Amino acid sequence: MKALLIIDVQNGFCPGGNLPVPEGDTIVPIINQLIEDGAYDLIVASQDWHPANHGSFASQHPGMKPFDMGTLSGQPQVMWPDHCVQGTPDADFHPDLITDAFDYIQQKGENPAVDSYSAFRDNDQAAITGLAGYLKAQLVTELDVCGLATDYCVKFSALDARDMLPDVKVRFIEDASRGIAADGVKAAIAEMREAGVTVVHSTEILAD
Ligand code: VGL
Ligand code: ZN
C-alpha cells in the first residue's frame, strides 16, 4: 500500500494566515495533481489543531514575543504566534486542497502543555497520535510526505515515520513542501536523508 501524507496544508501556514510559510500556498496545485494522479492507495492529512491557550503561543507567556525562544513544560520551545486554533478559519485546510480525497485526518497539538510538530507523536514523545497504528493497520509499505513546514512538522513527521515504521519506505516530496526559513530547510533535508528518507520531486512520481 502506497500512502501520501500531507502535513498541515492549512490557512494558518499560507500567506494571509497567522503563521505564514513563504509560498506555502504554491504547493496546493502540486499536491492536488499528486492526489488526482491516482498513484496513491491512501491519502492521509494532518491538521495542526491547537486550543486557544496552547503553550506554544507567545501570547501565553508574559513578556515573550513570537519567534522568541522560551520553554514549555521545561523543554526549549519556539514561541509561535497564535495559529491554527481549533474551529477557526486559520485551522481549516487550504480551500483549494482536494480534501474530499482524504481517507484519514490526524489532528495534533491539542495538549496545551506540549507541542506536536510530528503527526505521529508529541515533541516530548510521551503521547502518540495513533497515526502509526492506522498506517500499520492499512498495511502501508510506502509513505510519501509533503506539506508545511519542511523545517518543522514535515521533518519531524518524516523522521518519526522512519523511527516508528522501520519497514516502511519513506520519501520527502521537495517541491510539494515549503519551509519557514531557508537554512532550516537545508538542515532539515540533510537530517531526513541521514535518517534514510529519500528526497524526490513530484514529477518523478507523476511520470511513473
Ligand atoms: C508547525 C510551527 C508550529 C508546522 C506547526 O506545521 O510546521 N510549525 N506549529
Ligand atoms: Zn502549531
Side-chain angles (χ1 to χ4, degrees):
M1 286 283 276
K2 273 189 167 187
L4 177 65
L5 174 58
I6 305 161
I7 301 293
D8 301 1
V9 180
Q10 295 166 257
N11 290 324
F13 299 117
C14 291
N18 288 338
L19 178 39
V21 176
E23 302 179 348
D25 55 335
T26 63
I27 65 174
V28 172
I30 301 171
I31 295 173
N32 283 343
Q33 261 189 308
L34 290 167
I35 291 172
E36 293 199 304
D37 180 53
Y40 295 101
D41 305 306
L42 204 66
I43 311 282
V44 178
S46 71
Q47 189 175 27
D48 214 31
W49 193 247
H50 296 307
N53 67 341
H54 196 266
S56 72
F57 297 169
S59 62
Q60 300 302 302
H61 304 263
M64 287 278 172
K65 299 184 308 297
F67 306 103
D68 281 351
M69 200 62 192
T71 57
L72 178 58
S73 300
Q75 297 301 313
Q77 169 73 45
V78 179
M79 298 283 111
W80 300 111
D82 291 20
H83 65 276
C84 298
V85 171
Q86 296 170 5
T88 66
D90 201 63
D92 287 345
F93 292 110
H94 187 286
D96 296 337
L97 190 63
I98 307 176
T99 55
D100 285 351
F102 294 173
D103 295 294
Y104 185 82
I105 295 171
Q106 181 63 64
Q107 296 181 328
K108 65 186 178 68
E110 292 164 274
N111 179 353
V114 61
D115 212 352
S116 188
Y117 292 146
S118 162
F120 291 92
R121 58 186 164 188
D122 288 342
N123 289 3
D124 64 5
Q125 303 194 345
I128 60 167
T129 59
L131 179 57
Y134 172 80
L135 296 175
K136 265 187 210 166
Q138 297 294 319
L139 307 176
V140 168
T141 50
E142 296 177 46
L143 183 69
D144 287 356
V145 186
C146 65
L148 305 171
T150 302
D151 37 351
Y152 288 93
C153 293
V154 174
K155 177 187 86 170
F156 284 105
S157 297
L159 294 179
D160 271 350
R162 288 292 302 137
D163 195 46
M164 298 169 77
L165 303 165
D167 298 330
V168 172
K169 192 173 157 222
V170 181
R171 303 192 301 181
F172 162 66
I173 313 172
E174 191 169 5
D175 60 313
S177 307
R178 287 291 185 280
I180 294 176
D183 52 341
V185 167
K186 231 181 129 195
I189 292 173
E191 214 179 316
M192 286 190 278
R193 279 193 206 276
E194 190 76 17
V197 176
T198 306
V199 179
V200 292
H201 197 273
S202 66
T203 50
E204 295 169 58
I205 299 164
L206 294 165
D208 280 348

